[in-house]
Each structure stands twice: as structure tokens, then as C-alpha cells.
Amino acid sequence: MDWHPWIVYAHVLGAFAFAAGHGVAATMAFRLRSERDPSRIAAILDYSLWQLSPRSLMSIGFVVLFLSGIAAGFTGGYWGRLWIWVAIVLLVIITGLMTPVAAGHYNKIRSAIGQKLPRDKTEAPPPAPLPPDQLEPLLMASTPWILVAVGGIGFAAILLLMMFKPF
């Protein structure tokens, strides 16, 4: 039995799950821009943290995508081709850009509404909330657009490499 089509199927299914999870995260990022109530902002930010948990659709999709992509590289005999290595490097670069940009942006907003940062496990009290006029620029920052652009262009480039295998 030829397992390659099934592994590619799992890879595409993982990509859909990963993209769907990111769609929810992107929707949350843009919804945050129109919110001014600190308790609602906190709820949206708490949801964004859940998206990073191992049980989220985004995380499960990434694991399936990653592992089946490696398997497909073997079953398809692609490891000697340049396109698969470029795709992996792009994935690492995109992840390396998006993760700190998103975390930095959301952590500034968390601090601005008086919420402790997720990595802060100390007994220190949360920071004092900023006045609304100082919160506004953080909420209206162009970060969600930057994340969508980097992720969207990167996804399109990786998809092109996988479909057309140009080199």
C-alpha cells in the first residue's frame, strides 16, 4: 500500500486545522482593536493564551502538519530537493517573527489594563492600569495587520513551494 497520499492528506488536514486556529486568533486580534472595557479586553487576551495551549486547534493542527510533513518528505523522496528545505526555513522564520511580535504586543496591552503577564509567577501585585488615553494607542497599533501580512504571505509562499515543487 502506498502511504504517501494518506500522509499528504494528514498534512493538508493539519494545515487546515492550523489555519482555522489562526483564523480565530486573527479575529480575536482585530476584535481587540474595537474593545475599550478592560474586563472584556482581559477575556480576549485570556482566550489568546488558550490558543497556545497544547489542546487548541492551532497547536494540534501544527503538530499534525509538522509530523506528517516530515513523513511526507520521506515517503515522497523530497529530502534531496531544495524546495522542502526552503519551506522549512520559511516556517522557522515566520514563527520566529510572529511569536515575539504578537507576544510583545499582547503583553503591553495586558500590562496597560493591569493584568499580570503570563510568565510572571511571582507574588508581586499586577501593574497599575493605564488611563484610557494611554491604552488607546496600544489597542489601535498596526500589529494585527503586520501579523496577518507576515503569516498570509508566508503561508502562500510555503503553499506555492509544496504544490509546484519548483526546485
XYZ file of all heavy atoms in Angstrom, residues 62-152:
688
model
N -0.803 22.185 14.184
C 0.627 22.359 13.926
C 1.383 21.046 14.094
O 2.246 20.713 13.277
C 1.229 23.441 14.823
C 2.687 23.671 14.535
C 3.070 24.439 13.451
C 3.674 23.107 15.324
C 4.409 24.642 13.155
C 5.009 23.301 15.044
C 5.381 24.075 13.951
N 1.076 20.301 15.145
C 1.767 19.028 15.377
C 1.490 18.055 14.234
O 2.415 17.424 13.702
C 1.366 18.423 16.748
C 1.863 16.992 16.894
C 1.896 19.291 17.882
N 0.219 17.951 13.823
C -0.130 17.058 12.711
C 0.558 17.526 11.432
O 1.133 16.727 10.689
C -1.663 16.986 12.533
C -2.045 16.256 11.249
C -2.312 16.328 13.741
N 0.503 18.831 11.181
C 1.139 19.421 9.997
C 2.638 19.121 9.980
O 3.179 18.666 8.972
C 0.890 20.932 10.014
C 1.713 21.830 9.119
C 1.147 21.779 7.720
C 1.660 23.255 9.630
N 3.293 19.358 11.087
C 4.746 19.195 11.172
C 5.168 17.733 11.010
O 6.026 17.411 10.184
C 5.241 19.771 12.504
C 6.728 19.781 12.644
C 7.498 20.693 11.942
C 7.367 18.876 13.467
C 8.876 20.711 12.055
C 8.744 18.873 13.596
C 9.498 19.795 12.887
N 4.543 16.845 11.794
C 4.945 15.435 11.750
C 4.606 14.784 10.412
O 5.421 14.028 9.858
C 4.296 14.670 12.907
C 4.761 15.069 14.309
C 3.999 14.288 15.369
C 6.272 14.889 14.470
N 3.434 15.080 9.876
C 3.077 14.492 8.585
C 3.917 15.097 7.463
O 4.206 14.414 6.465
C 1.585 14.655 8.303
O 1.226 16.025 8.265
N 4.341 16.349 7.615
C 5.230 16.956 6.622
C 6.581 16.263 6.585
O 7.136 16.018 5.503
N 7.098 15.935 7.751
C 8.362 15.191 7.813
C 8.186 13.814 7.180
O 9.002 13.377 6.357
C 8.852 15.083 9.277
C 9.300 16.456 9.778
C 9.987 14.055 9.387
C 9.588 16.508 11.256
N 7.093 13.133 7.544
C 6.833 11.805 6.975
C 6.664 11.878 5.460
O 7.196 11.034 4.728
C 5.587 11.197 7.624
N 5.946 12.898 4.980
C 5.752 13.049 3.535
C 7.074 13.316 2.824
O 7.260 12.899 1.673
C 4.752 14.172 3.251
N 7.984 13.997 3.502
C 9.303 14.214 2.926
C 10.024 12.901 2.654
O 10.705 12.745 1.639
N 9.822 11.929 3.552
C 10.439 10.611 3.360
C 9.685 9.782 2.329
O 10.293 9.227 1.411
C 10.510 9.850 4.692
C 11.573 10.361 5.612
C 11.224 11.039 6.776
C 12.913 10.184 5.330
C 12.200 11.530 7.632
C 13.900 10.665 6.178
C 13.538 11.346 7.336
N 8.354 9.695 2.477
C 7.588 8.833 1.561
C 7.586 9.377 0.131
O 7.445 8.612 -0.816
C 6.137 8.647 2.045
O 5.476 9.913 2.096
C 6.095 7.951 3.399
N 7.754 10.688 -0.023
C 7.787 11.284 -1.354
C 9.187 11.428 -1.912
O 9.365 11.831 -3.063
N 10.200 11.140 -1.096
C 11.583 11.258 -1.549
C 11.995 12.710 -1.814
O 12.761 12.981 -2.735
N 11.515 13.627 -0.969
C 11.740 15.063 -1.211
C 12.949 15.639 -0.480
O 13.308 16.785 -0.713
C 10.514 15.876 -0.804
C 9.259 15.502 -1.543
C 8.086 15.253 -0.857
C 9.242 15.410 -2.932
C 6.922 14.917 -1.524
C 8.086 15.070 -3.610
C 6.933 14.826 -2.890
O 5.786 14.499 -3.560
N 13.576 14.888 0.421
C 14.630 15.474 1.243
C 15.844 15.908 0.426
O 16.615 16.746 0.869
C 15.038 14.538 2.380
C 13.942 14.449 3.393
C 13.145 13.366 3.641
C 13.469 15.477 4.249
N 12.213 13.670 4.613
C 12.395 14.966 5.003
C 13.850 16.794 4.469
C 11.701 15.713 5.957
C 13.160 17.544 5.417
C 12.114 17.005 6.144
N 15.988 15.418 -0.766
C 17.085 15.845 -1.627
C 16.739 17.044 -2.495
O 17.574 17.536 -3.254
N 15.527 17.562 -2.352
C 15.069 18.696 -3.149
C 15.171 19.980 -2.332
O 14.921 19.988 -1.121
C 13.607 18.495 -3.584
C 13.330 17.206 -4.332
C 13.599 17.276 -5.823
N 12.980 18.372 -6.510
C 11.762 18.344 -7.042
N 11.025 17.262 -6.947
N 11.297 19.413 -7.661
N 15.496 21.061 -2.986
C 15.682 22.342 -2.293
C 14.375 22.931 -1.770
O 14.347 23.543 -0.707
C 16.376 23.336 -3.234
C 16.690 24.715 -2.653
C 17.609 24.598 -1.438
C 17.315 25.601 -3.723
N 13.265 22.731 -2.483
C 12.008 23.382 -2.103
C 11.559 23.027 -0.690
O 11.041 23.880 0.029
C 10.893 23.077 -3.117
C 10.391 21.657 -3.081
C 10.793 20.623 -3.865
C 9.399 21.127 -2.199
N 10.128 19.473 -3.536
C 9.255 19.754 -2.512
C 8.618 21.650 -1.180
C 8.371 18.911 -1.855
C 7.724 20.819 -0.520
C 7.614 19.468 -0.854
N 11.764 21.757 -0.261
C 11.309 21.354 1.071
C 12.123 22.055 2.162
O 11.587 22.463 3.190
C 11.305 19.817 1.247
C 10.483 19.441 2.494
C 12.707 19.263 1.291
C 10.196 17.950 2.599
N 13.416 22.255 1.892
C 14.276 22.942 2.865
C 13.922 24.421 2.945
O 13.916 25.013 4.033
C 15.746 22.728 2.523
C 16.129 21.291 2.677
C 16.314 20.376 1.675
C 16.294 20.589 3.908
N 16.604 19.146 2.215
C 16.605 19.249 3.589
C 16.222 20.951 5.248
C 16.845 18.276 4.553
C 16.466 19.990 6.213
C 16.769 18.674 5.866
N 13.610 25.028 1.805
C 13.181 26.439 1.797
C 11.869 26.583 2.566
O 11.695 27.522 3.347
C 13.061 26.974 0.352
C 12.457 28.369 0.331
C 14.421 26.977 -0.330
N 10.960 25.634 2.383
C 9.684 25.679 3.108
C 9.901 25.592 4.620
O 9.277 26.326 5.398
C 8.759 24.559 2.629
N 10.790 24.718 5.043
C 11.079 24.577 6.478
C 11.719 25.851 7.023
O 11.347 26.328 8.103
C 11.965 23.331 6.729
C 11.164 22.063 6.455
C 12.522 23.340 8.156
C 11.999 20.800 6.392
N 12.673 26.400 6.290
C 13.313 27.647 6.724
C 12.276 28.768 6.813
O 12.268 29.540 7.777
C 14.487 28.022 5.784
C 14.960 29.441 6.027
C 15.635 27.040 5.966
N 11.372 28.852 5.835
C 10.307 29.863 5.887
C 9.426 29.673 7.120
O 9.068 30.646 7.784
C 9.447 29.812 4.617
C 9.996 30.507 3.400
C 9.109 30.245 2.187
C 10.134 32.000 3.640
N 9.077 28.428 7.420
C 8.255 28.151 8.597
C 8.951 28.631 9.872
O 8.331 29.267 10.731
C 7.936 26.662 8.688
C 7.080 26.229 9.875
C 5.691 26.843 9.795
C 7.001 24.715 9.945
N 10.237 28.355 9.977
C 11.005 28.786 11.154
C 11.065 30.319 11.223
O 10.870 30.909 12.287
C 12.422 28.163 11.141
C 13.318 28.795 12.187
C 12.336 26.659 11.334
N 11.311 30.965 10.091
C 11.396 32.434 10.060
C 10.051 33.059 10.423
O 9.986 33.992 11.232
C 11.892 32.921 8.686
C 13.366 32.581 8.502
C 11.669 34.424 8.521
C 13.887 32.808 7.090
N 8.978 32.546 9.838
C 7.640 33.086 10.120
C 7.314 32.931 11.600
O 6.844 33.874 12.239
C 6.583 32.393 9.242
C 6.791 32.758 7.776
C 5.169 32.761 9.682
C 6.086 31.825 6.808
N 7.567 31.752 12.134
C 7.313 31.513 13.563
C 8.186 32.425 14.414
O 7.719 33.006 15.396
C 7.578 30.034 13.907
O 6.754 29.215 13.086
C 7.291 29.747 15.368
N 9.452 32.569 14.014
C 10.383 33.419 14.749
C 10.015 34.893 14.708
O 10.360 35.644 15.621
N 9.322 35.322 13.672
C 8.868 36.714 13.581
C 7.544 36.924 14.303
O 7.380 37.860 15.080
C 8.703 37.132 12.119
C 9.966 37.354 11.306
C 9.613 37.571 9.834
C 10.737 38.540 11.839
N 6.579 36.046 14.027
C 5.222 36.264 14.532
C 5.112 36.084 16.046
O 4.413 36.845 16.699
C 4.242 35.335 13.830
C 4.034 35.697 12.375
S 2.794 34.690 11.568
C 1.304 35.371 12.275
N 5.787 35.095 16.583
C 5.636 34.796 18.011
C 6.072 35.962 18.899
O 5.285 36.427 19.725
C 6.378 33.493 18.363
O 5.854 32.441 17.545
C 6.225 33.150 19.830
N 7.283 36.487 18.753
C 7.657 37.591 19.645
C 6.897 38.888 19.357
O 6.619 39.655 20.284
C 9.160 37.771 19.414
C 9.458 37.102 18.130
C 8.411 36.055 17.925
N 6.535 39.130 18.107
C 5.772 40.350 17.786
C 4.404 40.285 18.455
O 3.973 41.234 19.110
C 5.649 40.546 16.263
C 4.654 41.643 15.920
C 7.009 40.872 15.658
N 3.722 39.153 18.314
C 2.397 39.006 18.923
C 2.491 39.041 20.453
O 1.729 39.760 21.106
C 1.745 37.712 18.460
N 3.412 38.277 21.026
C 3.536 38.230 22.490
C 3.869 39.604 23.057
O 3.288 40.024 24.060
C 4.597 37.215 22.892
N 4.789 40.318 22.421
C 5.148 41.655 22.894
C 3.964 42.606 22.862
O 3.718 43.346 23.820
N 3.218 42.566 21.783
C 2.049 43.434 21.628
C 0.996 43.131 22.699
O 0.506 44.029 23.381
C 1.464 43.247 20.229
C 0.191 43.986 19.984
N 0.118 45.359 19.974
C -1.061 43.535 19.747
C -1.132 45.726 19.735
N -1.865 44.635 19.593
N 0.645 41.861 22.836
C -0.398 41.490 23.789
C 0.052 41.687 25.229
O -0.758 42.039 26.089
C -0.873 40.064 23.538
C -1.511 39.930 22.184
C -1.150 38.926 21.313
C -2.453 40.861 21.745
C -1.716 38.832 20.060
C -3.020 40.773 20.495
C -2.652 39.755 19.658
O -3.207 39.673 18.415
N 1.336 41.498 25.506
C 1.825 41.724 26.864
C 1.789 43.207 27.235
O 1.522 43.556 28.389
C 3.220 41.146 27.049
C 3.191 39.644 27.186
O 2.154 39.045 27.483
N 4.315 39.003 26.954
N 2.033 44.090 26.272
C 1.898 45.533 26.550
C 0.457 45.876 26.904
O 0.200 46.662 27.821
C 2.340 46.356 25.334
C 3.816 46.407 25.114
C 4.134 47.215 23.867
C 5.588 47.071 23.485
N 5.879 47.685 22.172
N -0.480 45.281 26.182
C -1.893 45.542 26.471
C -2.274 44.946 27.823
O -2.983 45.586 28.608
C -2.796 45.015 25.341
C -2.510 45.781 24.040
C -4.280 45.149 25.717
C -3.198 45.221 22.812
N -1.792 43.742 28.114
C -2.067 43.135 29.429
C -1.601 44.063 30.553
O -2.332 44.310 31.508
C -1.354 41.788 29.547
C -2.040 40.670 28.865
C -1.330 39.328 29.138
N -2.023 38.292 28.426
C -1.745 37.925 27.180
N -0.750 38.488 26.526
N -2.442 36.984 26.590
N -0.387 44.555 30.439
C 0.137 45.466 31.466
C -0.691 46.743 31.533
O -0.957 47.258 32.620
C 1.593 45.823 31.175
O 2.410 44.696 31.348
N -1.109 47.241 30.374
C -1.857 48.500 30.328
C -3.215 48.395 31.005
O -3.729 49.397 31.522
C -2.035 48.952 28.883
N -3.815 47.194 31.040
C -5.111 47.049 31.718
C -4.947 46.545 33.154
O -5.920 46.284 33.849
C -6.078 46.137 30.940
C -5.526 44.713 30.832
C -6.429 46.732 29.585
C -6.529 43.696 30.328
N -3.694 46.404 33.589
C -3.431 45.989 34.966
C -3.434 44.492 35.164
O -3.666 44.013 36.272
N -3.146 43.746 34.116
C -3.111 42.288 34.206
C -1.654 41.829 34.289
O -0.793 42.362 33.588
C -3.790 41.701 32.961
C -4.121 40.245 33.047
C -4.816 39.751 31.778
O -4.277 39.921 30.687
N -5.985 39.157 31.927
N -1.399 40.845 35.136
C -0.051 40.283 35.213
C 0.270 39.564 33.911
O -0.614 39.033 33.237
C 0.054 39.302 36.378
C 0.069 39.976 37.737
C 0.157 38.977 38.857
C 1.581 38.536 39.016
N 1.820 37.826 40.286
N 1.559 39.535 33.570
C 1.978 38.841 32.367
C 1.931 37.333 32.604
O 2.126 36.870 33.726
C 3.385 39.270 31.970
C 3.558 40.748 31.644
C 4.983 41.031 31.208
C 2.579 41.186 30.572
N 1.661 36.552 31.563
C 1.507 35.100 31.733
C 2.718 34.421 32.366
O 2.576 33.491 33.134
C 1.308 34.589 30.307
C 0.874 35.758 29.520
C 1.444 36.978 30.193
N 3.905 34.896 32.067
C 5.110 34.247 32.601
C 5.454 34.719 34.020
O 6.368 34.195 34.635
C 6.274 34.484 31.656
C 6.669 35.936 31.552
C 7.807 36.158 30.561
N 8.119 37.556 30.439
C 7.564 38.402 29.588
N 6.665 37.972 28.752
N 7.901 39.669 29.556
N 4.732 35.702 34.541
C 5.004 36.242 35.872
C 4.330 35.373 36.929
O 3.126 35.450 37.138
C 4.503 37.687 35.971
C 4.838 38.335 37.302
O 5.454 37.677 38.163
O 4.465 39.509 37.491
N 5.122 34.544 37.582
C 4.598 33.634 38.611
C 4.907 34.138 40.019
O 4.721 33.419 40.986
C 5.191 32.230 38.426
C 4.977 31.637 37.059
C 3.519 31.453 36.734
C 3.372 30.823 35.363
N 2.108 31.038 34.747
N 5.360 35.373 40.128
C 5.707 35.922 41.435
C 4.449 36.343 42.184
O 3.359 36.390 41.629
C 6.633 37.145 41.288
O 5.890 38.208 40.677
C 7.857 36.812 40.457
N 4.636 36.671 43.430
C 3.536 37.151 44.266
C 3.342 38.659 44.136
O 2.507 39.244 44.820
C 3.797 36.776 45.735
C 3.821 35.281 45.989
C 2.485 34.614 45.692
O 1.438 35.189 46.011
O 2.508 33.509 45.119
N 4.117 39.283 43.277
C 4.016 40.738 43.100
C 2.620 41.108 42.608
O 1.997 40.354 41.860
C 5.065 41.215 42.098
N 2.143 42.258 43.034
C 0.815 42.679 42.575
C 0.847 43.025 41.083
O 1.903 43.344 40.534
C 0.520 43.924 43.416
C 1.859 44.436 43.830
C 2.758 43.230 43.926
N -0.307 42.948 40.420
C -0.333 43.310 38.999
C -0.016 44.797 38.826
O -0.154 45.584 39.768
C -1.769 43.004 38.566
C -2.555 42.893 39.818
C -1.603 42.551 40.920
N 0.401 45.186 37.629
C 0.716 46.598 37.401
C -0.542 47.459 37.477
O -1.657 46.964 37.303
C 1.302 46.613 35.983
C 0.792 45.372 35.344
C 0.583 44.373 36.432
N -0.334 48.729 37.738
C -1.469 49.660 37.767
C -1.963 49.885 36.340
O -1.159 50.045 35.418
C -1.038 50.989 38.385
N -3.281 49.881 36.143
C -3.799 50.111 34.789
C -3.483 51.520 34.297
O -3.405 52.468 35.079
C -5.312 49.934 34.928
C -5.566 49.476 36.313
C -4.315 49.630 37.113
N -3.284 51.620 32.991
C -3.043 52.926 32.377
C -4.377 53.632 32.141
O -5.407 52.982 31.980
C -2.331 52.754 31.036
C -0.925 52.176 31.055
C -0.398 52.040 29.626
C 0.012 53.032 31.876
N -4.348 54.960 32.081
C -5.570 55.676 31.735
C -5.993 55.360 30.291
O -5.149 54.992 29.463
C -5.191 57.150 31.879
C -3.744 57.205 32.176
C -3.225 55.826 32.374
N -7.280 55.483 29.979
C -7.780 55.131 28.648
C -7.029 55.802 27.493
O -6.828 55.178 26.449
C -9.238 55.579 28.680
C -9.614 55.533 30.125
C -8.366 55.893 30.874
N -6.588 57.044 27.690
C -5.898 57.724 26.583
C -4.536 57.098 26.289
O -4.009 57.238 25.186
C -5.776 59.226 26.848
C -4.902 59.549 28.048
O -5.016 58.845 29.070
O -4.118 60.518 27.962
N -3.952 56.384 27.251
C -2.684 55.693 27.010
C -2.896 54.253 26.529
O -2.026 53.675 25.892
C -1.832 55.709 28.281
C -1.328 57.098 28.626
C -0.501 57.097 29.904
O -0.057 56.055 30.378
N -0.296 58.269 30.473
N -4.070 53.696 26.819
C -4.417 52.354 26.338
C -4.785 52.387 24.856
O -4.444 51.477 24.101
C -5.580 51.801 27.169
C -6.157 50.454 26.752
C -5.100 49.358 26.814
C -7.362 50.113 27.629
N -5.446 53.432 24.439
C -5.945 53.563 23.059
C -4.876 53.303 21.989
O -5.108 52.503 21.073
C -6.566 54.951 22.871
C -7.136 55.210 21.506
C -8.465 54.528 21.267
O -9.114 54.116 22.234
O -8.827 54.389 20.093
N -3.697 53.939 22.068
C -2.695 53.671 21.013
C -2.239 52.214 20.968
O -1.923 51.707 19.897
C -1.521 54.587 21.370
C -2.026 55.547 22.365
C -3.248 54.963 22.997
N -2.208 51.558 22.110
C -1.819 50.148 22.132
C -2.859 49.291 21.417
O -2.518 48.385 20.650
C -1.641 49.666 23.574
C -0.503 50.297 24.366
C -0.546 49.837 25.816
C 0.837 49.962 23.737
N -4.128 49.586 21.676
C -5.195 48.824 21.039
C -5.258 49.080 19.533
O -5.622 48.193 18.760
C -6.548 49.161 21.672
C -6.719 48.751 23.135
C -8.015 49.312 23.697
C -6.686 47.235 23.275
N -4.912 50.276 19.114
C -5.018 50.646 17.702
C -3.717 50.426 16.924
O -3.638 50.785 15.749
C -5.460 52.110 17.579
C -6.861 52.371 18.135
S -8.112 51.230 17.507
C -8.137 51.690 15.786
N -2.729 49.825 17.551
C -1.458 49.561 16.862
C -1.695 48.699 15.620
O -2.676 47.955 15.530
C -0.493 48.861 17.814
N -0.812 48.799 14.683
C -0.947 48.063 13.422
C -0.472 46.609 13.528
O -0.448 45.901 12.525
C -0.173 48.787 12.322
O 1.187 48.866 12.676
N -0.158 46.154 14.704
C 0.388 44.807 14.889
C -0.472 43.707 14.269
O 0.076 42.821 13.600
C 0.641 44.532 16.384
O 1.439 45.579 16.912
C 1.351 43.209 16.588
N -1.804 43.703 14.450
C -2.588 42.629 13.814
C -2.408 42.590 12.295
O -2.332 41.516 11.701
C -4.030 42.945 14.197
C -3.918 43.714 15.471
C -2.658 44.524 15.328
N -2.319 43.759 11.668
C -2.118 43.806 10.224
C -0.747 43.256 9.843
O -0.615 42.555 8.831
C -2.288 45.234 9.698
C -3.701 45.699 9.774
C -4.228 46.608 10.645
C -4.789 45.257 8.960
N -5.567 46.763 10.424
C -5.941 45.942 9.385
C -4.902 44.347 7.911
C -7.188 45.739 8.805
C -6.151 44.143 7.333
C -7.268 44.840 7.777
N 0.250 43.563 10.638
C 1.601 43.048 10.380
C 1.604 41.526 10.499
O 2.161 40.819 9.645
C 2.620 43.686 11.348
C 2.759 45.175 11.059
C 3.969 42.970 11.285
C 3.478 45.960 12.132
N 0.946 41.011 11.531
C 0.886 39.562 11.730
C 0.150 38.874 10.581
O 0.588 37.825 10.091
C 0.226 39.240 13.071
C 1.007 39.687 14.310
C 0.150 39.541 15.557
C 2.300 38.912 14.436
N -0.960 39.454 10.148
C -1.717 38.879 9.034
C -0.879 38.901 7.755
O -0.871 37.936 6.985
C -3.061 39.613 8.839
C -3.706 39.276 7.509
C -4.014 39.276 9.979
N -0.161 39.983 7.533
C 0.667 40.081 6.328
C 1.793 39.049 6.345
O 1.990 38.313 5.366
C 1.236 41.490 6.186
N 2.527 38.981 7.443
C 3.641 38.023 7.539
C 3.116 36.592 7.421
O 3.636 35.779 6.643
C 4.429 38.216 8.856
C 5.413 37.075 9.092
C 5.163 39.549 8.843
N 2.068 36.281 8.183
C 1.513 34.930 8.145
C 0.898 34.587 6.800
O 1.097 33.488 6.273
N 0.156 35.517 6.227
C -0.508 35.257 4.951
C 0.469 35.096 3.802
O 0.361 34.152 3.001
